[in-house]
Amino acid sequence: MIEIDIFNYNEEDVKEKVYNNPVKLIIKKETFEEAKRLRKIHKNRSVIAFKHVVFNSEVSINVDEGVDHDILISFHYCFIDNFSPFALESKNVSLYFGSSILDSFVARDVPLASIQFNNCFGSFTLENLKKCHISYTEENIFYLQWEKLVSTTRFNSFDDILSIKTRFNIVDVIDVNFYGNEFDKEKRNELQIDDNNVFTDKIAQTEEYKQKKLLTKEEKLKLYLTISLKYNVGKAHQKTKITKLLLNSIQFEGKPEGEIIVDTCKVDNIYMRNFSPKGDFTLYNIQTRGLSKGKFEVHNSNLDNTWFNSVKLNQYFIVFYRASFINTKFSSTIFPTTKELLEISLSSVENIHYPDKKSDKEAYNRDMYELFLELKQAFEKRGNVFEAQKMKAVAHDFLNKITSGNARKSEFWNSTSILWLNKISNFHGVSVRNAFWAIFASLCLFHWLNVLSFDSYYLTVNSWDEVWTIFKDTFKYIFVIANPAHKVSSLAPEGEVTSYTYAVSFFSRIAVGYLYYQFIAAFRRFGK
C-alpha cells in the first residue's frame, strides 16, 4: 500500500507517474497542523491535483478526525482501475475528475462536499450523496492531452476511449446535474480544422492546451453513455437536471420528491419502471440520436405530474403498460401513426408481460384499452383533437379484442361486429383512406354481382378481351350503384331487371350509404 499525504507530498508523486500497487490518499491531522503552522495552507481551500497518473490498482481516501479544512482532490487525464472512498468521514472533501478513465468508481454513503466529473469514461455508482455534477463538453477536448493518456494505458486510440461503455448508476442523490454542449454548425465553419478534426485555439496560453478536437458525427454516435436514476421512498431529493446530452439510454425508477428536468437531449432509449414522481417531471425537446428507432417504455408508472413538451415519440418503439396518464400534459408531442401504434409499437408488449398465457389476454387488452382512454382524455384536456382521436381509435381496437373474446357465436350484431365494421371502414373515425378503399371495394363487389345477373352476358368467358369488353360495356352501372337514390331500372339493360337485381339494389344502398357516412365522419374528425 502506497500512502500519499495530502499536506506533505512531492510533485513527482502526482505528475506523470504509474502506480501498480494500491494507493491511499491520507489527510493526517498532524501534518495538517504542521502545514497550517508553516502557512502552507490556502485560506479557503487546499488543492491536490493528479495529472497524467495511472493507477493500475485501488485508490482510497482516509481523513483523520479534527481536519476541518476544505480540501479539493482532483484528477486530470488519469486512469484509475478502482476508486472507492468508502472510509471517508469528512464533510469537507470535494472530488473532481476531468478527462479521465475510471474502470470502477463507487461512492456509497460518504459525506462528500461535492463530486464532479467532466468528460470521464467508465463505470460510476453514486449512492446516498448530497450533490454530483457530471458534464460532457466538446469545448475542452484537448487533443494532445488525450493522446498522451492513450499512450500510457491499454487503449490504442482516442476512438477506443469514445467506445467505452460508460454507465452512471445514481441512487438517492439529493442534487444531480448532468450537462453537455457541442459546437454548432456556424462555429464549426469558422474554425480551421485539420484532417483529424483538430483546430488551434489561439487564446490558449500553453502549447499543450492549444490543440482542441471536434467530434465528428460518427464519433458522437460511438459514444455509449447510459444513466440509471433510482429514488427510494422516504429519501430526500431536491432536483435532477439533465441538459443537452447525447445518451444511449436513461432509466427512471422510484418516487422522487423533487423536480426532474430532461431538456434538449438526444436519447436512444428511455425507460420508466415503477416510477411515480411526486414533484414535477418535465421532458422537453427529446429525440433519438438517429441511429435507429429507439425504445420508449413506461411500465407500472404514474405520470400524473409529467409534462411531455416537444417529445418526438414517433422516433421510438413505444411500450406503455400498466401506466397512468390521466393528468399528464402533452405539448407539441408527436406520436407514431395509429397503424404504428397498433402494429409496431405495441406488438411486443403482450409477449413481454404475458408470454404464452392465453388466459391473461383479456386482462392485457383491458389494461391497454383503459390506458389509451386515459391518453385520449389527456390530449382532450390540452385541446389536441388530432392525437385524442388517434388514442380513441387504438382504444377501440383493444375494445374489439375484448368483446370478440366474450361474444357468443350466435350473436352476429354484437359489439364485436360493430367495432370490426368501424375498423375496416374508417379505423374508428380517423382514416379517410380506409373509408375510400372500402367504398371502392363495395362498388366493385356490387357491380360484378349485378353484372352476373344479365342474360346478355355469360358467366364463362374465353379470353381477357371478352372480360375487357364486358367491363367497358357495363362500367356505367358503377356510377348508378354509387348513387344510393338510384332507380332499380337503371341497374340493368331494358327487360333484364329481376328479383336478383332488386336484392343487389337493396343491399348496395345500405352498404354504400353506410360507407359514405363513415367517409364523412373521418373527414369531420376534428369537428367532433
Side-chain angles (χ1 to χ4, degrees):
M1 174 73 71
I2 299 172
E3 293 186 350
I4 300 177
D5 193 328
I6 299 298
F7 295 106
N8 185 21
Y9 63 90
N10 298 318
E11 279 297 314
E12 56 266 23
D13 294 335
V14 298
K15 306 290 184 184
E16 301 181 8
K17 189 159 185 175
V18 177
Y19 291 98
N20 293 316
N21 295 317
V23 174
K24 179 184 287 186
L25 307 179
I26 60 174
I27 303 174
K28 292 184 177 181
K29 185 176 182 180
E30 179 183 344
T31 53
F32 167 69
E33 294 294 344
E34 180 64 17
K36 190 176 181 181
R37 185 181 67 82
L38 296 175
R39 297 183 179 180
K40 293 182 178 181
I41 296 179
H42 294 284
K43 184 177 180 181
N44 296 324
R45 182 168 64 173
S46 295
V47 179
I48 179 173
F50 292 87
K51 186 176 180 182
H52 285 293
V53 178
V54 175
F55 299 91
N56 288 320
S57 190
E58 183 182 9
V59 178
S60 58
I61 304 175
N62 185 66
V63 183
D64 287 350
E65 293 184 4
V67 180
D68 56 357
H69 190 67
D70 289 341
I71 301 167
L72 171 63
I73 304 174
S74 64
F75 299 83
H76 306 266
Y77 302 98
C78 293
F79 173 84
I80 303 174
D81 179 73
N82 183 10
F83 195 104
S84 301
F86 56 86
L88 187 63
E89 297 294 338
S90 174
K91 298 180 180 180
N92 302 314
V93 176
S94 298
L95 297 178
Y96 175 85
F97 298 86
S99 303
S100 296
I101 304 170
L102 296 91
D103 273 358
S104 176
F105 179 92
V106 180
R108 288 192 179 98
D109 301 303
V110 288
L112 290 167
S114 68
I115 183 167
Q116 298 183 52
F117 300 91
N118 175 248
N119 292 355
C120 289
F121 300 89
S123 177
F124 307 87
T125 298
L126 309 173
E127 187 172 341
N128 291 326
L129 303 179
K130 289 194 297 185
K131 183 186 297 184
C132 70
H133 185 284
I134 299 110
S135 60
Y136 287 85
T137 52
E138 193 176 19
E139 63 192 14
N140 59 348
I141 302 177
F142 299 105
Y143 184 68
L144 295 178
Q145 298 296 313
W146 276 108
E147 288 294 306
K148 190 173 182 180
L149 176 60
V150 167
S151 66
T152 58
T153 60
R154 65 176 183 268
F155 302 98
N156 297 318
S157 65
F158 182 63
D159 279 353
D160 288 346
I161 294 176
L162 290 177
S163 301
I164 294 174
K165 292 186 177 181
T166 300
R167 295 179 172 88
F168 283 91
N169 183 27
I170 298 177
V171 181
D172 297 329
V173 178
I174 297 175
D175 191 347
V176 181
N177 187 10
F178 279 89
Y179 173 77
N181 69 13
E182 54 185 322
F183 285 101
D184 55 29
K185 291 183 179 179
E186 293 183 3
K187 181 66 174 178
R188 284 175 175 267
N189 293 333
E190 295 174 0
L191 300 172
Q192 296 180 353
I193 305 172
D194 63 15
D195 294 338
N196 292 322
N197 231 39
V198 176
F199 71 96
T200 302
D201 186 359
K202 298 178 180 179
I203 301 176
Q205 297 180 355
T206 58
E207 192 67 29
E208 59 185 357
Y209 289 106
K210 282 188 176 181
Q211 301 297 313
K212 290 186 176 181
K213 179 174 175 58
L214 298 179
L215 297 180
T216 64
K217 184 178 180 180
E218 292 74 20
E219 287 174 330
K220 290 178 181 178
L221 293 177
K222 286 181 181 179
L223 288 170
Y224 189 100
L225 178 60
T226 66
I227 301 172
S228 175
L229 297 157
K230 185 176 182 180
Y231 309 89
N232 289 310
V233 177
K235 294 290 186 178
H237 172 247
Q238 184 175 341
K239 188 174 185 178
T240 297
K241 188 173 183 180
I242 304 171
T243 310
K244 298 180 180 179
L245 280 182
L246 304 176
L247 299 174
N248 178 269
S249 70
I250 183 169
Q251 178 173 323
F252 300 93
E253 182 180 349
K255 297 183 178 181
E257 297 181 354
E259 182 182 17
I260 300 177
I261 301 173
V262 184
D263 185 357
T264 316
C265 291
K266 294 181 180 180
V267 191
D268 289 338
N269 302 285
I270 300 175
Y271 304 98
M272 301 176 195
R273 296 167 178 166
N274 301 308
F275 179 62
S276 301
K278 296 181 180 179
D280 292 336
F281 177 42
T282 304
L283 294 171
Y284 175 74
N285 193 19
I286 306 299
Q287 58 185 308
T288 65
R289 292 189 296 170
L291 277 171
S292 59
K293 203 171 186 69
K295 188 173 184 179
F296 200 111
E297 179 181 321
V298 182
H299 176 224
N300 198 26
S301 299
N302 186 336
L303 301 183
D304 282 352
N305 297 326
T306 302
W307 183 13
F308 287 77
N309 192 344
S310 300
V311 180
K312 295 182 179 179
L313 290 175
N314 60 327
Q315 297 182 359
Y316 292 91
F317 182 95
I318 293 182
V319 179
F320 291 164
Y321 179 67
R322 286 185 180 174
S324 175
F325 294 92
I326 191 66
N327 293 316
T328 305
K329 293 190 294 183
F330 294 92
S331 302
S332 304
T333 295
I334 306 173
F335 267 80
T337 64
T338 310
K339 183 178 180 181
E340 288 176 329
L341 282 174
L342 282 170
E343 297 181 2
I344 302 174
S345 302
L346 297 168
S347 59
S348 67
V349 183
E350 186 174 359
N351 295 330
I352 293 172
H353 301 290
Y354 291 100
D356 302 323
K357 294 182 180 179
K358 296 183 179 180
S359 60
D360 288 330
K361 282 189 176 181
E362 182 180 345
Y364 159 75
N365 289 329
R366 287 189 182 278
D367 285 338
M368 300 309 296
Y369 169 66
E370 293 174 2
L371 184 149
F372 278 95
L373 280 185
E374 288 188 5
L375 283 171
K376 170 182 172 289
Q377 294 174 32
F379 279 114
E380 286 177 341
K381 288 180 180 179
R382 304 289 295 178
N384 191 337
V385 179
F386 178 79
E387 296 294 352
Q389 288 291 320
K390 191 187 294 184
M391 297 305 120
K392 173 188 172 184
V394 178
H396 282 184
D397 196 72
F398 280 105
L399 179 61
N400 183 27
K401 295 177 182 179
I402 297 171
T403 55
S404 62
N406 296 330
R408 297 177 183 175
K409 293 182 179 179
S410 59
E411 296 177 354
F412 180 76
W413 294 112
N414 51 32
S415 300
T416 301
S417 304
I418 295 171
L419 289 167
W420 180 79
L421 285 172
N422 273 278
K423 180 178 179 178
I424 63 171
S425 59
N426 64 5
F427 207 90
H428 306 294
V430 299
S431 177
V432 174
R433 182 172 59 182
N434 272 30
F436 174 81
W437 287 113
I439 292 172
F440 179 78
S442 178
L443 291 175
C444 291
L445 172 65
F446 284 106
H447 169 62
W448 284 108
L449 289 175
N450 184 45
V451 169
L452 292 176
S453 68
F454 296 171
D455 292 336
S456 53
Y457 296 102
Y458 294 98
L459 181 61
T460 304
V461 294
N462 297 318
S463 67
W464 286 107
D465 290 337
E466 293 182 19
V467 174
W468 177 243
T469 301
I470 294 174
F471 177 77
K472 288 191 297 182
D473 291 347
T474 62
F475 185 72
K476 62 182 179 181
Y477 295 114
I478 289 181
F479 296 100
V480 176
I481 295 174
N483 177 14
H486 63 257
K487 295 180 179 179
V488 178
S489 59
S490 302
L491 277 179
E494 187 175 350
E496 294 193 31
V497 175
T498 64
S499 299
Y500 182 84
T501 308
Y502 277 92
V504 170
S505 174
F506 176 75
F507 288 110
S508 68
R509 291 173 196 259
I510 295 175
V512 173
Y514 170 75
L515 292 174
Y516 281 168
Y517 171 80
Q518 293 295 81
F519 185 82
I520 295 171
F523 256 115
R524 295 190 65 251
R525 57 185 294 195
F526 300 114
K528 295 179 182 179

